[in-house]
Amino acid sequence: MLEKQFYDQLFAHSFNIPLTVDYGEQQKQYGEGKSQLTIHMHKLIPVKDLLKNASLALGEAYMRGDIEVTGGGPFALQRLLTAAYESSGSFMRNPKLMRFIPKQSHSEKKSKQDIQAHYDLGNDFYKLWLDKTMTYSCAYFDDWDQDLTSAQQNKVDHILRKLDPQPDRRLLDIGCGWGTLMLTAAKRYHVNVTGITLSQEQYDFVTARINELGLQDHARVLLRDYRELDDGPYDYVTSVGMFEHVGKENLGLYFQDVAKLMAPNGSALIHGITRQQGGANNAWLNKYIFPGGYIPGLSENIDHVIAAGLQVSDLEPLRRHYQRTLELWDTNFNAKRNVIQKQFGFDFTRMWDLYLQAAAASFESGNIDVMQFLVTKAPSGTGLPLTRDYIYS
């Protein structure tokens, strides 16, 4: 009886859209107006599990197939989660019901294990649903209907133009992924680039691409932690989707290391996910998707930038761009769903579909954001142009 009352409260106050909940033997509608979605509760989650950690309990229930969401098209789950994030009484954002996970280790050894757990699922897995550039970060769209490959190349050029790179100078890409940014910098902007990664799969892929493109004299990739580098200074530093992995306790050190690696007149473009509401962990994401992950607050990052002796020259939010990126990734993912499920299994496939749609919902609702920080070494700066016109010309 108490469990049914709990679920009534959950669905009555956690979403800002009318919906139907199918309990199996009965259906009940919540909210005013025509139901927009149906939640099928094939198996009720124990209340104690929800109270212990809502994100983990709900995520695991969805992975097992205990929960289904229908009636809203291919992004039904995204719509439901967006409604939850936007609801002032959202269960998943109630601090009394969701506890944060314990502090995580971020030693160099642990960081390598965390990165490899996510990125070394295999290049073939990511090739199934990323675009041709193999770029696994927020794209930059000219319009909502632009194709993903063009938008990812836009993003790379947008980042590099912000740095105003000059030929033959040195650029360091921290967390280089599959190399699109660093290789574009070498080939199109004629700078000498070093990319670093902790993923063996990415290292092998980028090494092969350098050789294919004949860029051995202008590009290199290292299988190394950014804290191990001692061959600075670099005129330019880029780091895309990296600081979310270093952990709350290491954020200050991360920005200090970026500063140490920069030349006296150097500049850096740091691109990553933030929260305007303050930093947060998510237990389900930490367990299944990004071990050791932490989303810092915007002001938290700014404080670390200043403490590292750096100065913010430009700050740009790309929240809606990441929403669109994730929606296109999820479309690509589901187009290959049968292949992925055959290789990785039922739970894994639902886990990744949940991750992509939940992340899209978080960006859509404003629960999280993505920012590009253009920073220079204070007080001298870099001599960047006076206005932003140079970025778009």
Side-chain angles (χ1 to χ4, degrees):
M1 184 65 178
L2 288 175
E3 186 175 69
K4 188 60 183 298
Q5 291 176 358
F6 178 88
Y7 274 93
D8 271 339
Q9 289 295 312
L10 167 63
F11 291 119
H13 299 291
S14 293
F15 305 94
N16 65 358
I17 58 173
L19 54 86
T20 298
V21 179
D22 179 3
Y23 291 102
E25 296 180 355
Q26 70 170 126
Q27 290 189 345
K28 186 168 182 179
Q29 181 167 334
Y30 298 88
E32 300 293 331
K34 184 180 179 180
S35 178
Q36 298 183 20
L37 297 168
T38 299
I39 303 174
H40 303 272
M41 300 297 296
H42 301 306
K43 183 179 179 181
L44 292 182
I45 307 167
V47 173
K48 64 179 179 62
D49 292 345
L50 285 167
L51 292 175
K52 183 179 180 181
N53 199 305
S55 66
L56 190 60
L58 289 166
E60 290 181 338
Y62 186 84
M63 287 166 58
R64 294 190 299 266
D66 295 345
I67 301 173
E68 293 282 355
V69 182
T70 61
F75 296 111
L77 179 60
Q78 179 182 330
R79 287 190 62 209
L80 178 72
L81 291 170
T82 298
Y85 292 132
E86 290 176 344
S87 173
S88 60
S90 170
F91 177 87
M92 288 178 287
R93 289 170 60 186
N94 189 330
K96 295 180 179 179
L97 297 177
M98 183 178 176
R99 68 178 190 177
F100 292 117
I101 62 171
K103 183 178 178 180
Q104 306 248 346
S105 167
H106 282 88
S107 65
E108 293 180 17
K109 180 179 179 181
K110 185 65 170 62
S111 293
K112 186 173 183 178
Q113 292 171 347
D114 290 344
I115 292 299
Q116 291 180 347
H118 186 84
Y119 294 99
D120 283 353
L121 288 169
N123 292 338
D124 290 341
F125 168 69
Y126 289 99
K127 285 177 182 177
L128 289 172
W129 53 274
L130 293 180
D131 69 290
K132 292 179 181 179
T133 69
M134 287 291 284
T135 304
Y136 186 30
S137 57
C138 174
Y140 187 77
F141 293 87
D142 291 332
D143 59 68
W144 201 255
D145 296 322
Q146 187 174 32
D147 69 277
L148 186 56
T149 298
S150 298
Q152 289 291 11
Q153 191 61 60
N154 279 353
K155 186 270 302 294
V156 168
D157 286 324
H158 191 56
I159 287 173
L160 292 171
R161 284 198 302 267
K162 283 185 176 183
L163 294 170
D164 195 28
Q166 302 303 309
D168 300 321
R169 294 189 180 176
R170 303 183 74 204
L171 182 147
L172 171 66
D173 190 18
I174 300 175
C176 65
W178 286 276
T180 300
L181 189 153
M182 59 172 287
L183 297 177
T184 300
K187 187 174 181 180
R188 187 175 301 174
Y189 294 86
H190 310 293
V191 296
N192 297 312
V193 299
T194 297
I196 60 171
T197 179
L198 293 176
S199 165
Q200 185 68 52
E201 291 272 343
Q202 290 179 344
Y203 171 82
D204 293 341
F205 184 92
V206 177
T207 299
R209 288 291 291 149
I210 290 171
N211 293 330
E212 288 170 13
L213 295 170
L215 293 173
Q216 297 93 328
D217 293 337
H218 300 284
R220 62 173 182 163
V221 60
L222 305 175
L223 190 65
R224 192 172 301 175
D225 191 286
Y226 67 96
R227 290 166 288 191
E228 298 175 339
L229 280 181
D230 58 1
D231 66 340
Y234 288 87
D235 301 291
Y236 316 107
V237 176
T238 54
S239 185
V240 179
M242 174 65 192
F243 64 63
E244 307 95 306
H245 295 289
V246 305
K248 180 178 178 64
E249 68 278 13
N250 278 342
L251 265 176
L253 295 173
Y254 165 79
F255 283 104
Q256 289 172 28
D257 283 334
V258 168
K260 289 176 184 176
L261 290 164
M262 292 168 62
N265 289 316
S267 56
L269 193 291
I270 312 298
H271 168 125
I273 300 171
T274 66
R275 278 174 51 89
Q276 295 199 31
Q277 301 89 341
N281 287 309
N282 180 286
W284 183 81
L285 281 173
N286 273 266
K287 182 175 181 179
Y288 290 103
I289 304 296
F290 290 112
Y294 171 75
I295 305 300
L298 176 59
S299 61
E300 186 177 4
N301 270 348
I302 294 293
D303 286 344
H304 289 309
V305 167
I306 295 169
L310 299 172
Q311 189 161 352
V312 177
S313 296
D314 190 81
L315 182 63
E316 182 178 11
L318 300 178
R319 177 176 64 84
R320 295 187 65 213
H321 293 269
Y322 217 159
Q323 175 196 340
R324 185 58 178 157
T325 303
L326 284 151
E327 289 173 352
L328 293 175
W329 282 344
D330 192 65
T331 297
N332 294 345
F333 182 90
N334 278 289
K336 301 291 186 178
R337 191 181 185 104
N338 291 338
V339 175
I340 294 169
Q341 185 165 318
K342 184 176 181 180
Q343 184 175 356
F344 292 96
F346 177 85
D347 288 10
F348 177 93
T349 305
R350 287 179 66 84
M351 174 182 77
W352 271 82
D353 187 28
L354 171 60
Y355 153 57
L356 293 171
Q357 291 203 46
S362 288
F363 285 109
E364 183 179 20
S365 67
N367 184 48
I368 55 177
D369 207 334
V370 63
M371 293 284 179
Q372 287 188 350
F373 301 81
L374 178 62
V375 298
T376 58
K377 268 212 172 169
S380 59
T382 63
L384 287 172
L386 190 61
T387 73
R388 292 174 172 172
D389 292 349
Y390 77 98
I391 299 173
Y392 304 101
S393 61

